[in-house]
Amino acid sequence: MLYGQKLADPALTRIRLNIVSHIMAETDDLNSRVAHVRAYAKAMVAGMWIMDQRRHMLKPFVDDAEIREALARKFEGTYGAQAYNHMAPLLAQDLLRDLARLYLDRNRKTGSYTNVFRKASERNVHEALREYFRTMPDRQERHHEFGEGITPEEAAALEAEWLERDRVKYLKSFDEGWETVKKAAEELDSDPLTEKIKTFRDKNHAHLEMQPIGSDPGPVPVSELGIKISDIFAFADKYEPALLELTRVTTGGLYAVKNFHEMHERCGNEMWRILSGLPVKNG
């Protein structure tokens, strides 16, 4: 030991180690929660693509008069018509179930819009997601060609300036996207159709709930909710952009929505035209 050097206080050393361990544990926990949010968001958007496919299966079946008339002719006077009459309600109820679980489920273990938004709103998680999005340009390949007369120092300064400019743009994009997500979450809470979809799911889809004692015996009359198929389509169209935006700000992923819609629409139309014996439209 050098002259005058003091031995470290064992108690102080233990305190320092405990502080470091605590910080590392908190960091690991935050990283785990952020990874959870991203995994939930990816599951959510995968569920949305399935919902969108089913939506485009139902739409031509109920909206395309040519398809409806051709199918009606095929089933006219047959026992199969009895089963055929179940198709529209069956597909509509399935779409309602998808909307309920994708947007409205408050269970903390679900990949619903409501739950992913809640998780991503936690202060530390939100800050981590925001910082990750801001620094996305850092993880992109950045090779600029500079002309003659630019020194390496000048080139490095320009690269740093452009990087910071991109960081500001990405941060602005995150904040604007989050406002869209937040607004949609507030609208979901106050949307009159939200409560109707929940009621239908709880009293008819998930359970065969009966009327209370004192009422006419029988199932709760969910038809009185007044949910129309056009309402279901409108609900899906209204909140789908916000769901995609929530996925974008939590994962950084972008999706070719227009291409998916067009493909799903074509799949739904072709299926019904083939089944009804109509020629398939090209293009």
Side-chain angles (χ1 to χ4, degrees):
M1 183 178 68
L2 297 176
Y3 180 75
Q5 182 178 357
K6 294 183 179 179
L7 288 172
D9 184 340
L12 184 59
T13 300
R14 283 196 299 273
I15 291 172
R16 287 171 177 164
L17 288 173
N18 287 338
I19 291 172
V20 171
S21 297
H22 181 69
I23 293 171
M24 291 177 67
E26 283 190 339
T27 302
D28 289 343
D29 179 60
L30 177 59
N31 290 338
S32 176
R33 285 188 288 144
V34 169
H36 245 64
V37 169
R38 292 198 178 110
Y40 277 43
K42 289 175 181 176
M44 175 181 69
V45 81
M48 194 219 74
W49 293 133
I50 295 171
M51 181 275 292
D52 193 67
Q53 286 177 319
R54 292 170 177 169
R55 176 215 193 287
H56 284 96
M57 285 170 59
L58 177 60
K59 188 168 176 60
F61 185 52
V62 297
D63 285 353
D64 191 314
E66 185 183 17
I67 288 173
R68 289 203 318 273
E69 290 167 7
L71 285 168
R73 286 193 298 271
K74 274 182 169 289
F75 286 102
E76 187 176 5
T78 69
Y79 285 104
Q82 304 264 351
Y84 168 73
N85 289 334
H86 284 281
M87 287 300 297
L90 184 65
L91 289 170
Q93 289 179 35
D94 196 56
L95 188 55
L96 272 174
R97 182 203 62 185
D98 279 348
L99 291 174
R101 69 177 186 168
L102 272 175
Y103 290 101
L104 310 178
D105 198 332
R106 294 186 177 277
N107 189 294
R108 300 173 74 89
K109 296 180 180 179
T110 62
S112 70
Y113 184 94
T114 298
N115 194 42
V116 174
F117 173 71
R118 179 190 63 78
K119 286 177 175 289
S121 299
E122 294 176 12
R123 185 176 62 82
N124 290 346
V125 172
H126 184 76
E127 289 175 357
L129 290 169
R130 190 170 184 262
E131 178 61 13
Y132 177 87
F133 203 94
R134 183 187 77 87
T135 57
M136 279 176 63
D138 299 45
R139 295 178 288 279
Q140 299 167 354
E141 289 193 20
R142 307 179 65 85
H143 297 296
H144 296 102
E145 295 291 335
F146 295 97
E148 293 182 5
I150 300 292
T151 67
E153 291 77 14
E154 290 171 333
L158 285 171
E159 290 280 11
E161 179 185 338
W162 293 339
L163 175 60
E164 187 56 33
R165 178 196 62 193
D166 288 346
R167 285 173 173 173
V168 170
K169 285 170 57 179
Y170 272 68
L171 185 60
K172 183 172 183 279
S173 176
F174 179 94
D175 288 341
E176 289 175 349
W178 185 256
E179 283 304 310
T180 298
V181 166
K182 185 178 177 182
K183 181 182 177 184
E186 292 168 353
E187 289 178 357
L188 267 174
D189 283 340
S190 59
D191 194 319
L193 197 55
T194 292
E195 198 57 40
K196 291 182 179 181
I197 292 173
K198 284 182 179 178
T199 301
F200 185 89
R201 177 199 60 192
D202 294 343
K203 297 183 182 297
N204 180 270
H205 209 288
H207 310 281
L208 183 60
E209 186 166 323
M210 306 302 286
Q211 295 269 51
I213 293 175
S215 305
D216 290 336
V220 171
V222 291
S223 59
E224 294 179 4
L225 293 172
I227 302 175
K228 301 187 291 290
I229 290 179
S230 59
D231 293 334
I232 302 173
F233 291 152
F235 190 91
D237 290 341
K238 180 178 180 180
Y239 294 108
E240 185 177 282
L243 185 149
L244 290 167
E245 194 65 5
L246 178 55
T247 306
R248 184 181 75 90
V249 297
T250 53
T251 68
L254 291 172
Y255 298 89
V257 182
K258 185 173 182 291
N259 293 343
F260 275 100
H261 283 329
E262 289 175 351
M263 177 57 69
H264 295 163
E265 184 178 5
R266 181 173 181 178
C267 290
N269 271 290
E270 286 198 6
M271 181 191 75
W272 290 118
R273 294 187 75 83
I274 289 168
L275 291 174
S276 61
L278 293 170
V280 173
K281 296 177 180 178
N282 295 322

